[in-house]
Amino acid sequence: MSDTVLLERRDRVALLTLNRPEALNALNTELLTTLSAHVAELAEDQEIGCIVITGSQKAFAAGADIKEMRDKGYIEMLMSDFFGRYGAISACRTPILAAVSGYALGGGCELAMMCDAIYASDTAKFGQPEIRLGVIPGMGGSQRLTRAVGKAKAMDMILTGRMMDAEEAERCELVARIFPADTLLDEVMKIAETIAGYSRPSVFAAKEAVNRSFEVSLSEGLHYEHRVFYPLFATEDQKEGMTAFVEKRKPDFRHR
Ligand code: HXC
């Protein structure tokens, strides 16, 4: 596979590092195809319990590759199924965390938002600057940013193209937590290891249930939660988790 995305396995966590430093990790076809292929493969890998996507200190990703897009026409964009490439990320049942340092702009911000949680360094800068290029967000920005930060902030970001720093992003709930730039990746890897240590059926169920809340009404969502809660009592890991608590020991989950 192309070296535009590097894959490293650390025990039960897979680390994917975007690797086009000369273009601030701009998302070109080669990088996106490689990223999707890695995620699709990792999603099938029973040994991997959590995936982390990161970039460099300077940029998580500065957006879709403008040089690659510049000369494309409508039919070419339509026929190339530009957006189909992201299916693997949103379809992945294994949790995916984004560790963002530096710029996360346009498609870079959208890629981070496709992940299950964003952890930012204090140097992170988020933005949807597509309006400056004569287009709009096209990888989910108008929808996911609005759901994350609300209409006023999303309109402000998308209509002006301004950037938001890490503190503002945490304040408006785009990011889960902020860490100093030099410890960000270690901290996110620790979070990923924690998640990867839990029982996989409960991790899948938790991710599904939270994601469901974005699609349905509260009563439908509560109903869905109950439907995925009860079957967990058919797992050995529910017995193990609760028995370990009662016996004051660490659980040894079988289906990690
Ligand atoms: C292609 C890019 C790029 C991009 C940076 N580079 N962003 N190449 N596509 N999105 C390249 C630059 O051309 C340059 O290479 C090198 O990376 C370093 O960038 P500089 O601009 O010299 O760095 P700096 O001055 O530090 O400025 C950093 C920056 C700026 C503020 C992040 O690069 C910038 O504004 N980038 C574009 C951000 C953007 O508009 N993103 C949205 C893209 S549209 P050379 O070789 O030229 O020196 C999008 C649509 C998504 O994402 C929808 C899906 C279809």
Side-chain angles (χ1 to χ4, degrees):
M1 256 190 256
S2 140
D3 66 359
T4 52
V5 181
L6 307 176
L7 166 62
E8 197 188 320
R9 288 160 192 270
R10 295 193 199 163
D11 195 15
R12 297 182 49 75
V13 176
L15 173 63
L16 292 168
T17 305
L18 310 183
N19 183 41
R20 286 189 74 211
E22 71 288 358
L24 302 185
N25 293 330
L27 308 168
N28 66 0
T29 304
E30 187 185 351
L31 185 153
L32 284 173
T33 309
T34 308
L35 180 65
S36 287
H38 278 310
V39 171
E41 198 178 306
L42 292 167
E44 299 294 320
D45 189 333
Q46 301 287 316
E47 298 303 312
I48 295 298
C50 194
I51 299 166
V52 174
I53 301 180
T54 196
S56 67
Q57 289 279 353
K58 179 157 186 197
F60 177 73
D65 192 308
I66 300 167
K67 293 169 188 167
E68 191 183 68
M69 281 188 298
R70 183 179 63 159
D71 296 323
K72 288 198 194 297
Y74 162 62
I75 291 294
E76 206 182 338
M77 287 299 277
L78 182 72
M79 301 309 271
S80 68
D81 190 21
F82 204 76
F83 305 111
R85 299 198 187 95
Y86 303 101
I89 295 165
S90 24
C92 182
R93 292 189 303 170
T94 307
I96 306 180
L97 311 180
V100 175
S101 258
Y103 298 110
L105 302 177
C109 185
E110 292 168 304
L111 172 61
M113 290 191 291
M114 276 176 222
C115 298
D116 297 306
I118 303 176
Y119 298 93
S121 81
D122 46 13
T123 63
K125 285 192 176 359
F126 298 87
Q128 298 289 162
E130 290 90 342
I131 201 88
R132 297 178 184 211
L133 303 168
V135 292
I136 67 164
M139 282 165 47
S142 65
Q143 306 303 300
R144 289 199 177 94
L145 186 67
T146 309
R147 281 167 171 75
V149 306
K151 178 179 168 182
K153 276 274 188 220
M155 284 289 190
D156 177 42
M157 299 293 294
I158 291 168
L159 291 177
T160 67
R162 79 171 176 91
M163 292 184 212
M164 183 189 265
D165 65 17
E167 269 190 28
E168 184 179 2
E170 189 188 33
R171 218 167 40 240
C172 66
E173 299 176 9
L174 179 61
V175 313
R177 287 191 246 173
I178 303 176
F179 296 106
D182 55 352
T183 60
L184 172 74
L185 191 57
D186 287 345
E187 296 289 352
V188 178
M189 290 301 281
K190 275 190 238 160
I191 295 166
E193 278 159 28
T194 300
I195 295 169
Y198 294 134
S199 172
R200 186 175 276 255
S202 65
V203 170
F204 286 174
K207 172 168 167 164
E208 264 175 47
V210 173
N211 281 333
R212 194 76 186 161
S213 72
F214 290 99
E215 310 290 342
V216 300
S217 67
L218 178 62
S219 59
E220 279 294 318
L222 292 171
H223 183 67
Y224 184 83
E225 184 187 83
H226 297 157
R227 296 272 81 78
V228 295
F229 176 80
Y230 296 133
L232 294 172
F233 283 74
T235 66
E236 294 155 292
D237 284 342
Q238 172 268 327
K239 299 288 172 296
E240 169 60 12
M242 294 191 180
T243 303
F245 174 82
V246 173
E247 292 176 355
K248 300 187 189 302
R249 60 173 173 83
K250 214 171 158 258
D252 180 15
F253 291 121
R254 174 142 183 235
H255 297 291
R256 284 190 311 149

